[in-house]
Amino acid sequence: MKPLQELVRPNIWKLKPYSSARDEYSGSSASVFLDANENPYNTPNNRYPDPLQRDVKKGIGKIKGVPVGNIFLGNGSDEAIDLAYRVFCEPRVDNVVAIDPTYGMYQVCADINEVAYRKVLLDDRFQFKAEDLLAASDERTKLMFLCSPNNPTGNNLCREEIERLLRGFEGIVIVDEAYIDFSEARSFLPDLAKYPNLIVLQTFSKAWGCAAIRLGMAFASEDIIALFNKVKYPYNVNLLTQKQASEMVLRHYEVDRWVKTLKEERAWLEERFRALPCVERIFPSDANFFLARVTDACAVYDYLVSRGVIVRNRNSVALCGNCLRVTVGTRLENEKLLEALEKYK
């Protein structure tokens, strides 16, 4: 990769970050806090949260096998995605390259930050070639986005091609592993030291069952994490989220059980879907959802809405014509979906 200073926006490299009261304090015996203009009443919600979420990161680090210095926590993975643009991409000058179809927020963040977004279409197996993404890049390409397992297609991307991209691209490669817990593929977390241009995204929203607390994780070199911390808002993760995340880390064994159940339920639901007259194809999935091609996605979607069952219509997405994305729910929820579809004509 290029030297990090050449990839980072010059104003960000020179930026003097905001120093919060809790950043400046570094003691272990203080009992009186008169530094942050807080209300002394209504403990504990009267105090600002730890701006670097140290306790939460320690717990995550033990489970993930990643040092605390390589972890960034944000308000959902979307904050880390947006920070990558703000740190590395000069508006109206730089560009990014991403596979298509994939998670829509990559392009939304590009549009918000006025960064050109270049799409490279996947093949008919929903796979990519590193050489195609490299061919779409130029000297102003700062980021490349890969989601594996991919959304909305559900499949793992070819690991060998991801590694080729990491070796061949001089900028930053972001591998979004939001659904990795449901996959048999190995995470890229153990490869952080091997690839200094790698950022791995994960989340508490999927396997961890904590979408409501909005906590995303980014793993990268200490230098990249330091840049994220430099640009983020001072108290970006609130106290209630940090508390819930710490509790979930202690209950990580439950996550393993949930994942096992959902993978079994996915296989059962896919099998039942194949017998439905309106279903033409089920695409292989490594996530907690699957993509199904139906006779008429818009008509089936509207019908399900009328029955109080909501799936995602992906008909307008590249390569996903007449496709619905179906999240795996509880057995009761899945049976209600099947019951509705069995009556569809």
Side-chain angles (χ1 to χ4, degrees):
M1 66 179 283
K2 293 179 180 177
L4 197 58
Q5 186 172 355
E6 292 183 22
L7 294 172
V8 176
R9 294 170 60 195
N11 66 307
I12 298 299
W13 190 262
K14 298 174 184 177
L15 178 69
K16 182 178 180 180
Y18 175 79
S19 179
S20 69
R22 295 297 133 83
D23 283 325
E24 296 170 355
Y25 166 72
S26 58
S28 58
S29 59
S31 59
V32 177
F33 296 95
L34 304 175
D35 58 340
N37 300 336
E38 299 155 323
N39 188 325
Y41 306 111
N42 195 35
T43 302
N45 295 326
N46 60 324
R47 300 297 181 188
Y48 286 109
D50 177 3
L52 293 176
Q53 312 93 32
R54 295 172 181 86
D55 288 342
V56 185
K57 288 178 180 176
K58 287 178 183 177
I60 292 172
K62 289 179 181 178
I63 293 173
K64 301 290 185 180
V66 177
V68 168
N70 297 99
I71 304 173
F72 171 83
L73 298 182
N75 185 3
S77 296
D78 294 341
E79 180 177 4
I81 293 167
D82 184 60
L83 280 173
Y85 279 97
R86 290 198 280 149
V87 168
F88 294 107
C89 298
E90 195 69 49
R92 298 178 296 280
V93 175
D94 293 328
N95 67 78
V96 306
V97 172
I99 58 173
D100 185 40
T102 194
Y103 179 45
M105 279 304 296
Y106 309 146
Q107 180 165 6
V108 170
C109 284
D111 293 343
I112 291 171
N113 287 282
E114 293 190 277
V115 175
Y117 186 83
R118 300 179 177 181
K119 300 179 182 180
V120 176
L121 196 65
L122 297 174
D123 63 23
D124 57 5
R125 298 177 299 113
F126 297 143
Q127 291 293 344
F128 78 102
K129 293 291 186 183
E131 62 187 33
D132 294 336
L133 271 69
L134 292 170
S137 68
D138 59 25
E139 70 280 358
R140 300 308 312 184
T141 305
K142 293 294 187 67
L143 307 174
M144 289 196 179
F145 283 95
L146 301 171
C147 186
S148 184
N150 191 26
N151 176 14
T153 60
N155 62 299
N156 291 317
L157 298 178
C158 177
R159 187 179 189 88
E160 290 74 18
E161 292 299 325
I162 297 176
E163 290 173 342
R164 287 189 184 97
L165 197 63
L166 285 162
R167 292 191 299 267
F169 181 50
E170 293 186 326
I172 304 297
V173 177
I174 300 175
V175 179
D176 190 342
E177 295 185 340
Y179 303 96
I180 194 65
D181 299 279
F182 302 100
S183 171
E184 301 301 322
R186 184 169 64 89
S187 169
F188 270 89
L189 288 183
D191 298 316
L192 287 173
K194 183 177 180 181
Y195 300 111
N197 61 333
L198 171 64
I199 298 176
V200 176
L201 302 181
Q202 293 188 9
T203 180
F204 271 68
S205 294
K206 310 303 180 183
W208 289 80
C210 288
I213 72 172
R214 306 306 304 128
L215 188 64
M217 300 170 277
F219 305 88
S221 69
E222 289 194 14
D223 290 337
I224 291 177
I225 296 301
L227 287 163
F228 276 28
N229 287 331
K230 187 179 187 181
V231 176
K232 77 174 182 69
Y233 292 122
Y235 303 106
N236 62 321
V237 180
N238 68 69
L239 178 62
L240 300 179
T241 291
Q242 291 189 41
K243 283 185 174 181
Q244 183 61 35
S246 293
E247 291 176 11
M248 284 305 304
V249 166
L250 296 176
R251 295 165 51 200
H252 63 88
Y253 56 88
E254 289 192 55
V255 176
D256 296 335
R257 187 171 69 248
W258 293 339
V259 167
K260 181 177 183 294
T261 299
L262 287 170
K263 288 168 72 173
E264 292 171 350
E265 197 68 17
R266 181 185 69 198
W268 177 85
L269 187 57
E270 287 175 335
E271 188 62 29
R272 294 290 299 274
F273 250 64
R274 290 187 179 94
L276 294 170
C278 65
V279 174
E280 296 182 343
R281 183 177 181 184
I282 304 294
F283 293 92
S285 175
D286 301 287
N288 68 327
F289 63 86
F290 60 86
L291 196 67
R293 177 158 287 137
V294 296
T295 52
D296 186 332
C298 294
V300 175
Y301 175 80
D302 290 342
Y303 165 77
L304 288 173
V305 170
S306 72
R307 299 294 297 267
V309 178
I310 311 300
V311 296
R312 196 77 190 272
N313 185 356
R314 300 286 76 189
N315 179 60
S316 62
V317 175
L319 302 179
C320 298
N322 275 330
C323 285
L324 300 177
R325 193 191 70 191
V326 180
T327 304
V328 180
T330 64
R331 176 57 64 93
L332 179 60
E333 291 171 326
N334 297 333
E335 287 177 340
K336 288 183 177 179
L337 167 63
L338 289 166
E339 181 183 359
L341 288 175
E342 286 166 355
K343 296 176 181 177
Y344 174 77
K345 295 180 180 179

